[in-house]
Structure formats: C-alpha cells, structure tokens
Amino acid sequence: QVQLVESGGGLVQPGGSLRLSCATSGFTFKSTSMSWFRQAPGKDREWVAHIVGTDGHTVYTDSVKGRFTISRDNAKTTVYLQMNTLKSEDTAVYYCKARLGMNDHWGQGTQVTVSS
C-alpha cells in the first residue's frame, strides 16, 4: 500500500524558514520522481518543485527559485522541502506527490502559514 505522510508545517514569520518532510512507503522510492505542490485558500493546487528519482535533478516554479530546495534521502524513503525567506504568499497546504505508472499518489498535506 502506497503511503505518503507530510510533516513539518506550522506558523512562521515572514523571512523565516521551515523544512517539510514527506515520509513514504509501499513503492520503490529510489527510482520514483517526487514533487511538492501547494494549495492556497480559494486557489487551485500549484506545482512547486520536482526531483527526479534516477539522478536527483531538480526543477522549481519561478516564485520559489533561490528560496526553496527539494531533496531526497533514498535510505529513509523521504523527500524534503527546505523553505527559506518565506513570504505571506507562501501560505498554503503543501502536498507531496509520487507518480507511479499512470497514477498519482498524494499525501494528506501539511499547513504552512506565514504571518507576523
């Protein structure tokens, strides 16, 4: 059974940092590309970052480039999202996603709130 469990969200002041984790099980993690998405209130879910399973190549949406870093620990079957210099517009529920064949598998999400 595929499972993805996000953690690490919370309330942080503008300019602060958080590290999100997505612990996974039930599939071959090391060869699976992983993504982070987010959904702000009243908005569609948007893609944030992607890391390739085979070579660790990373890609980011423009609004987080230079501030966010996606990484993975294949031994722990966990993907991370380090978020620095957070802005109010980063407030959202953050989700990790695994694409397995033709199917997308999602975690339950973790809330990130950036506010003073």
Side-chain angles (χ1 to χ4, degrees):
Q1 181 181 0
V2 175
Q3 289 192 319
L4 295 87
V5 180
E6 300 96 335
S7 62
L11 173 64
V12 62
Q13 292 186 342
S17 298
L18 282 175
R19 188 177 83 152
L20 306 183
S21 299
C22 174
T24 76
S25 61
F27 61 98
T28 305
F29 179 81
K30 64 180 180 181
S31 60
T32 301
S33 296
M34 301 293 298
S35 302
W36 284 97
F37 284 72
R38 66 186 179 186
Q39 187 166 18
K43 295 187 177 181
D44 292 335
R45 190 170 298 189
E46 67 168 345
W47 167 74
V48 174
H50 180 84
I51 184 166
V52 177
T54 53
D55 62 8
H57 179 67
T58 59
V59 190
Y60 301 90
T61 192
D62 285 347
S63 62
V64 308
K65 283 180 182 176
R67 300 189 298 122
F68 290 12
T69 302
I70 187 172
S71 63
R72 63 193 297 148
D73 185 331
N74 289 338
K76 295 182 178 180
T77 65
T78 298
V79 61
Y80 303 98
L81 187 68
Q82 177 67 44
M83 306 186 295
N84 298 329
T85 319
L86 282 160
K87 305 175 182 180
S88 58
E89 52 262 45
D90 295 317
T91 295
V93 178
Y94 284 71
Y95 301 88
C96 63
K97 188 197 82 170
R99 169 63 70 92
L100 302 173
M102 296 298 291
N103 299 314
D104 288 334
H105 297 264
W106 298 87
Q108 83 290 345
T110 186
Q111 176 70 48
V112 172
T113 303
V114 184
S115 176
S116 56

